Each structure stands twice: as structure tokens, then as C-alpha cells.
mmCIF file of all heavy atoms in Angstrom:
data_model
loop_
_atom_site.group_PDB
_atom_site.id
_atom_site.type_symbol
_atom_site.label_atom_id
_atom_site.label_comp_id
_atom_site.label_asym_id
_atom_site.label_seq_id
_atom_site.Cartn_x
_atom_site.Cartn_y
_atom_site.Cartn_z
ATOM 1 N N GLY A 26 0.791 -1.231 0.000
ATOM 2 C CA GLY A 26 0.000 0.000 0.000
ATOM 3 C C GLY A 26 0.818 1.272 0.000
ATOM 4 O O GLY A 26 0.557 2.200 -0.778
ATOM 5 N N ASN A 27 1.819 1.356 0.861
ATOM 6 C CA ASN A 27 2.618 2.580 0.912
ATOM 7 C C ASN A 27 3.402 2.808 -0.370
ATOM 8 O O ASN A 27 3.513 3.942 -0.860
ATOM 9 C CB ASN A 27 3.592 2.512 2.098
ATOM 10 C CG ASN A 27 2.886 2.721 3.422
ATOM 11 O OD1 ASN A 27 1.693 2.988 3.472
ATOM 12 N ND2 ASN A 27 3.625 2.573 4.510
ATOM 13 N N VAL A 28 3.945 1.722 -0.936
ATOM 14 C CA VAL A 28 4.689 1.843 -2.191
ATOM 15 C C VAL A 28 3.774 2.371 -3.296
ATOM 16 O O VAL A 28 4.161 3.262 -4.072
ATOM 17 C CB VAL A 28 5.288 0.483 -2.583
ATOM 18 C CG1 VAL A 28 5.886 0.527 -3.988
ATOM 19 C CG2 VAL A 28 6.355 0.058 -1.580
ATOM 20 N N ILE A 29 2.567 1.841 -3.376
ATOM 21 C CA ILE A 29 1.641 2.275 -4.417
ATOM 22 C C ILE A 29 1.234 3.730 -4.212
ATOM 23 O O ILE A 29 1.162 4.519 -5.175
ATOM 24 C CB ILE A 29 0.398 1.363 -4.437
ATOM 25 C CG1 ILE A 29 0.790 -0.057 -4.837
ATOM 26 C CG2 ILE A 29 -0.666 1.908 -5.409
ATOM 27 C CD1 ILE A 29 1.386 -0.188 -6.211
ATOM 28 N N CYS A 30 0.968 4.122 -2.967
ATOM 29 C CA CYS A 30 0.562 5.512 -2.729
ATOM 30 C C CYS A 30 1.672 6.497 -3.090
ATOM 31 O O CYS A 30 1.415 7.566 -3.670
ATOM 32 C CB CYS A 30 0.146 5.685 -1.277
ATOM 33 S SG CYS A 30 -1.451 4.934 -0.890
ATOM 34 N N LEU A 31 2.898 6.153 -2.765
ATOM 35 C CA LEU A 31 4.014 7.018 -3.152
ATOM 36 C C LEU A 31 4.176 7.051 -4.666
ATOM 37 O O LEU A 31 4.524 8.101 -5.244
ATOM 38 C CB LEU A 31 5.301 6.544 -2.483
ATOM 39 C CG LEU A 31 5.323 6.663 -0.952
ATOM 40 C CD1 LEU A 31 6.602 6.050 -0.392
ATOM 41 C CD2 LEU A 31 5.184 8.121 -0.530
ATOM 42 N N ASP A 32 3.905 5.926 -5.326
ATOM 43 C CA ASP A 32 3.962 5.887 -6.779
ATOM 44 C C ASP A 32 2.875 6.773 -7.386
ATOM 45 O O ASP A 32 3.092 7.433 -8.411
ATOM 46 C CB ASP A 32 3.809 4.448 -7.264
ATOM 47 C CG ASP A 32 4.071 4.308 -8.754
ATOM 48 O OD1 ASP A 32 5.121 4.777 -9.220
ATOM 49 O OD2 ASP A 32 3.213 3.743 -9.450
ATOM 50 N N ILE A 33 1.694 6.801 -6.775
ATOM 51 C CA ILE A 33 0.619 7.682 -7.235
ATOM 52 C C ILE A 33 1.070 9.138 -7.166
ATOM 53 O O ILE A 33 0.874 9.919 -8.112
ATOM 54 C CB ILE A 33 -0.645 7.452 -6.398
ATOM 55 C CG1 ILE A 33 -1.269 6.089 -6.744
ATOM 56 C CG2 ILE A 33 -1.669 8.574 -6.598
ATOM 57 C CD1 ILE A 33 -2.342 5.642 -5.785
ATOM 58 N N LEU A 34 1.695 9.519 -6.056
ATOM 59 C CA LEU A 34 2.177 10.902 -5.933
ATOM 60 C C LEU A 34 3.240 11.213 -6.973
ATOM 61 O O LEU A 34 3.225 12.301 -7.586
ATOM 62 C CB LEU A 34 2.729 11.139 -4.523
ATOM 63 C CG LEU A 34 1.758 11.012 -3.349
ATOM 64 C CD1 LEU A 34 2.420 11.495 -2.061
ATOM 65 C CD2 LEU A 34 0.474 11.796 -3.604
ATOM 66 N N ARG A 35 4.172 10.281 -7.199
ATOM 67 C CA ARG A 35 5.220 10.507 -8.200
ATOM 68 C C ARG A 35 4.627 10.636 -9.598
ATOM 69 O O ARG A 35 5.039 11.499 -10.387
ATOM 70 C CB ARG A 35 6.236 9.365 -8.164
ATOM 71 C CG ARG A 35 7.254 9.454 -7.056
ATOM 72 C CD ARG A 35 8.403 8.476 -7.286
ATOM 73 N NE ARG A 35 7.944 7.093 -7.275
ATOM 74 C CZ ARG A 35 7.870 6.352 -6.186
ATOM 75 N NH1 ARG A 35 8.236 6.846 -5.018
ATOM 76 N NH2 ARG A 35 7.449 5.097 -6.251
ATOM 77 N N THR A 36 3.674 9.789 -9.924
ATOM 78 C CA THR A 36 3.071 9.838 -11.255
ATOM 79 C C THR A 36 2.376 11.173 -11.486
ATOM 80 O O THR A 36 2.535 11.805 -12.548
ATOM 81 C CB THR A 36 2.072 8.685 -11.427
ATOM 82 O OG1 THR A 36 2.763 7.442 -11.284
ATOM 83 C CG2 THR A 36 1.404 8.731 -12.790
ATOM 84 N N LEU A 37 1.611 11.623 -10.515
ATOM 85 C CA LEU A 37 0.894 12.895 -10.675
ATOM 86 C C LEU A 37 1.858 14.080 -10.711
ATOM 87 O O LEU A 37 1.582 15.087 -11.376
ATOM 88 C CB LEU A 37 -0.116 13.067 -9.542
ATOM 89 C CG LEU A 37 -1.289 12.076 -9.561
ATOM 90 C CD1 LEU A 37 -2.163 12.253 -8.327
ATOM 91 C CD2 LEU A 37 -2.129 12.253 -10.834
ATOM 92 N N ALA A 38 2.997 13.957 -10.019
ATOM 93 C CA ALA A 38 3.963 15.059 -9.999
ATOM 94 C C ALA A 38 4.769 15.136 -11.289
ATOM 95 O O ALA A 38 5.061 16.232 -11.787
ATOM 96 C CB ALA A 38 4.908 14.900 -8.811
ATOM 97 N N LYS A 39 5.089 13.972 -11.862
ATOM 98 C CA LYS A 39 6.017 13.935 -12.996
ATOM 99 C C LYS A 39 5.316 13.826 -14.344
ATOM 100 O O LYS A 39 5.949 14.055 -15.377
ATOM 101 C CB LYS A 39 6.993 12.770 -12.827
ATOM 102 C CG LYS A 39 7.934 12.935 -11.640
ATOM 103 C CD LYS A 39 8.923 11.774 -11.561
ATOM 104 C CE LYS A 39 9.907 11.948 -10.416
ATOM 105 N NZ LYS A 39 10.894 10.842 -10.343
ATOM 106 N N GLU A 40 4.058 13.426 -14.347
ATOM 107 C CA GLU A 40 3.358 13.216 -15.607
ATOM 108 C C GLU A 40 2.085 14.062 -15.651
ATOM 109 O O GLU A 40 1.016 13.612 -15.225
ATOM 110 C CB GLU A 40 3.016 11.742 -15.791
ATOM 111 C CG GLU A 40 4.231 10.828 -15.827
ATOM 112 C CD GLU A 40 3.872 9.391 -16.173
ATOM 113 O OE1 GLU A 40 2.962 9.191 -17.003
ATOM 114 O OE2 GLU A 40 4.487 8.481 -15.606
ATOM 115 N N PRO A 41 2.187 15.281 -16.145
ATOM 116 C CA PRO A 41 1.003 16.148 -16.203
ATOM 117 C C PRO A 41 -0.162 15.510 -16.954
ATOM 118 O O PRO A 41 -1.330 15.750 -16.606
ATOM 119 C CB PRO A 41 1.524 17.390 -16.929
ATOM 120 C CG PRO A 41 2.999 17.387 -16.690
ATOM 121 C CD PRO A 41 3.395 15.950 -16.639
ATOM 122 N N LEU A 42 0.146 14.686 -17.970
ATOM 123 C CA LEU A 42 -0.935 14.074 -18.730
ATOM 124 C C LEU A 42 -1.709 13.072 -17.881
ATOM 125 O O LEU A 42 -2.920 12.894 -18.070
ATOM 126 C CB LEU A 42 -0.375 13.397 -19.978
ATOM 127 C CG LEU A 42 -1.395 12.948 -21.035
ATOM 128 C CD1 LEU A 42 -2.301 14.094 -21.463
ATOM 129 C CD2 LEU A 42 -0.677 12.351 -22.237
ATOM 130 N N ALA A 43 -1.053 12.410 -16.942
ATOM 131 C CA ALA A 43 -1.762 11.490 -16.050
ATOM 132 C C ALA A 43 -2.758 12.256 -15.190
ATOM 133 O O ALA A 43 -3.916 11.841 -15.014
ATOM 134 C CB ALA A 43 -0.770 10.732 -15.172
ATOM 135 N N ALA A 44 -2.323 13.371 -14.646
ATOM 136 C CA ALA A 44 -3.232 14.195 -13.845
ATOM 137 C C ALA A 44 -4.375 14.736 -14.692
ATOM 138 O O ALA A 44 -5.537 14.786 -14.245
ATOM 139 C CB ALA A 44 -2.453 15.340 -13.204
ATOM 140 N N GLU A 45 -4.067 15.108 -15.915
ATOM 141 C CA GLU A 45 -5.089 15.659 -16.805
ATOM 142 C C GLU A 45 -6.139 14.616 -17.176
ATOM 143 O O GLU A 45 -7.346 14.889 -17.154
ATOM 144 C CB GLU A 45 -4.403 16.198 -18.064
ATOM 145 C CG GLU A 45 -5.340 16.830 -19.071
ATOM 146 C CD GLU A 45 -4.610 17.303 -20.318
ATOM 147 O OE1 GLU A 45 -3.467 17.797 -20.174
ATOM 148 O OE2 GLU A 45 -5.173 17.175 -21.421
ATOM 149 N N THR A 46 -5.711 13.418 -17.512
ATOM 150 C CA THR A 46 -6.681 12.383 -17.893
ATOM 151 C C THR A 46 -7.522 11.942 -16.692
ATOM 152 O O THR A 46 -8.715 11.648 -16.828
ATOM 153 C CB THR A 46 -5.974 11.166 -18.495
ATOM 154 O OG1 THR A 46 -4.994 10.663 -17.571
ATOM 155 C CG2 THR A 46 -5.292 11.526 -19.801
ATOM 156 N N LEU A 47 -6.908 11.886 -15.506
ATOM 157 C CA LEU A 47 -7.663 11.554 -14.303
ATOM 158 C C LEU A 47 -8.698 12.637 -14.009
ATOM 159 O O LEU A 47 -9.862 12.332 -13.685
ATOM 160 C CB LEU A 47 -6.704 11.404 -13.121
ATOM 161 C CG LEU A 47 -7.342 11.113 -11.769
ATOM 162 C CD1 LEU A 47 -8.143 9.816 -11.803
ATOM 163 C CD2 LEU A 47 -6.268 11.053 -10.675
ATOM 164 N N ARG A 48 -8.303 13.879 -14.152
ATOM 165 C CA ARG A 48 -9.239 14.986 -13.924
ATOM 166 C C ARG A 48 -10.413 14.909 -14.892
ATOM 167 O O ARG A 48 -11.576 15.117 -14.509
ATOM 168 C CB ARG A 48 -8.507 16.321 -14.077
ATOM 169 C CG ARG A 48 -9.319 17.548 -13.651
ATOM 170 C CD ARG A 48 -8.519 18.827 -13.824
ATOM 171 N NE ARG A 48 -7.226 18.752 -13.167
ATOM 172 C CZ ARG A 48 -6.069 18.738 -13.792
ATOM 173 N NH1 ARG A 48 -6.028 18.771 -15.126
ATOM 174 N NH2 ARG A 48 -4.938 18.686 -13.124
ATOM 175 N N ALA A 49 -10.147 14.575 -16.143
ATOM 176 C CA ALA A 49 -11.221 14.480 -17.130
ATOM 177 C C ALA A 49 -12.191 13.358 -16.780
ATOM 178 O O ALA A 49 -13.413 13.496 -16.940
ATOM 179 C CB ALA A 49 -10.624 14.252 -18.515
ATOM 180 N N GLU A 50 -11.651 12.230 -16.300
ATOM 181 C CA GLU A 50 -12.505 11.104 -15.913
ATOM 182 C C GLU A 50 -13.401 11.474 -14.732
ATOM 183 O O GLU A 50 -14.564 11.071 -14.654
ATOM 184 C CB GLU A 50 -11.637 9.900 -15.563
ATOM 185 C CG GLU A 50 -12.365 8.577 -15.532
ATOM 186 C CD GLU A 50 -12.708 8.034 -16.912
ATOM 187 O OE1 GLU A 50 -12.019 8.372 -17.887
ATOM 188 O OE2 GLU A 50 -13.672 7.255 -16.999
ATOM 189 N N LEU A 51 -12.874 12.257 -13.811
ATOM 190 C CA LEU A 51 -13.657 12.687 -12.661
ATOM 191 C C LEU A 51 -14.699 13.732 -13.055
ATOM 192 O O LEU A 51 -15.842 13.701 -12.588
ATOM 193 C CB LEU A 51 -12.733 13.246 -11.569
ATOM 194 C CG LEU A 51 -11.744 12.252 -10.944
ATOM 195 C CD1 LEU A 51 -10.777 12.965 -10.013
ATOM 196 C CD2 LEU A 51 -12.481 11.147 -10.207
ATOM 197 N N GLN A 52 -14.315 14.633 -13.922
ATOM 198 C CA GLN A 52 -15.238 15.690 -14.332
ATOM 199 C C GLN A 52 -16.397 15.154 -15.164
ATOM 200 O O GLN A 52 -17.468 15.770 -15.232
ATOM 201 C CB GLN A 52 -14.485 16.761 -15.138
ATOM 202 C CG GLN A 52 -13.514 17.591 -14.327
ATOM 203 C CD GLN A 52 -14.213 18.533 -13.359
ATOM 204 O OE1 GLN A 52 -15.391 18.845 -13.502
ATOM 205 N NE2 GLN A 52 -13.467 18.997 -12.355
ATOM 206 N N ALA A 53 -16.207 13.991 -15.783
ATOM 207 C CA ALA A 53 -17.244 13.450 -16.670
ATOM 208 C C ALA A 53 -18.545 13.144 -15.948
ATOM 209 O O ALA A 53 -19.598 13.035 -16.579
ATOM 210 C CB ALA A 53 -16.722 12.179 -17.352
ATOM 211 N N ALA A 54 -18.513 12.990 -14.637
ATOM 212 C CA ALA A 54 -19.727 12.647 -13.886
ATOM 213 C C ALA A 54 -20.348 13.848 -13.182
ATOM 214 O O ALA A 54 -21.382 13.700 -12.523
ATOM 215 C CB ALA A 54 -19.421 11.565 -12.860
ATOM 216 N N THR A 55 -19.761 15.026 -13.287
ATOM 217 C CA THR A 55 -20.298 16.174 -12.561
ATOM 218 C C THR A 55 -21.654 16.582 -13.128
ATOM 219 O O THR A 55 -21.952 16.379 -14.308
ATOM 220 C CB THR A 55 -19.325 17.361 -12.624
ATOM 221 O OG1 THR A 55 -19.039 17.666 -13.986
ATOM 222 C CG2 THR A 55 -18.026 17.031 -11.905
ATOM 223 N N GLY A 56 -22.472 17.147 -12.268
ATOM 224 C CA GLY A 56 -23.796 17.609 -12.668
ATOM 225 C C GLY A 56 -24.881 16.563 -12.559
ATOM 226 O O GLY A 56 -26.054 16.865 -12.809
ATOM 227 N N SER A 57 -24.538 15.341 -12.173
ATOM 228 C CA SER A 57 -25.531 14.263 -12.089
ATOM 229 C C SER A 57 -25.945 13.940 -10.662
ATOM 230 O O SER A 57 -27.054 13.462 -10.434
ATOM 231 C CB SER A 57 -24.989 12.990 -12.750
ATOM 232 O OG SER A 57 -24.714 13.208 -14.116
ATOM 233 N N ASP A 58 -25.063 14.172 -9.705
ATOM 234 C CA ASP A 58 -25.354 13.864 -8.307
ATOM 235 C C ASP A 58 -24.698 14.932 -7.444
ATOM 236 O O ASP A 58 -23.468 15.049 -7.437
ATOM 237 C CB ASP A 58 -24.813 12.471 -7.945
ATOM 238 C CG ASP A 58 -25.258 11.998 -6.577
ATOM 239 O OD1 ASP A 58 -25.126 12.773 -5.607
ATOM 240 O OD2 ASP A 58 -25.733 10.851 -6.460
ATOM 241 N N PRO A 59 -25.483 15.706 -6.703
ATOM 242 C CA PRO A 59 -24.893 16.795 -5.910
ATOM 243 C C PRO A 59 -23.917 16.298 -4.847
ATOM 244 O O PRO A 59 -22.981 17.018 -4.478
ATOM 245 C CB PRO A 59 -26.110 17.469 -5.265
ATOM 246 C CG PRO A 59 -27.233 16.485 -5.377
ATOM 247 C CD PRO A 59 -26.950 15.686 -6.604
#
């Protein structure tokens, strides 16, 4: 678990496209459930 969580932080810090695609996936559901 700790290794994976640190890897998540590294990926989001070093790969802007990873953060961007994740943000798009999250935004796709907005407006449907408050």
C-alpha cells in the first residue's frame, strides 16, 4: 500500500498528462449527483 501511494504521488507530480486524464474522468460525472 505505501509503495503504491508514493507511486501515485510521483506519477501525478512527474506526468502532467496522467493528472489531466484523471481529472477528465472525474469531471465526466459532474452535474448528475450533488
Side-chain angles (χ1 to χ4, degrees):
N27 285 356
V28 171
I29 295 298
C30 287
L31 295 175
D32 189 52
I33 289 168
L34 297 189
R35 280 193 297 271
T36 299
L37 293 175
K39 294 183 178 181
E40 299 187 36
L42 192 54
E45 181 182 323
T46 56
L47 178 60
R48 189 180 307 113
E50 197 74 26
L51 296 173
Q52 291 290 341
T55 56
S57 299
D58 189 311

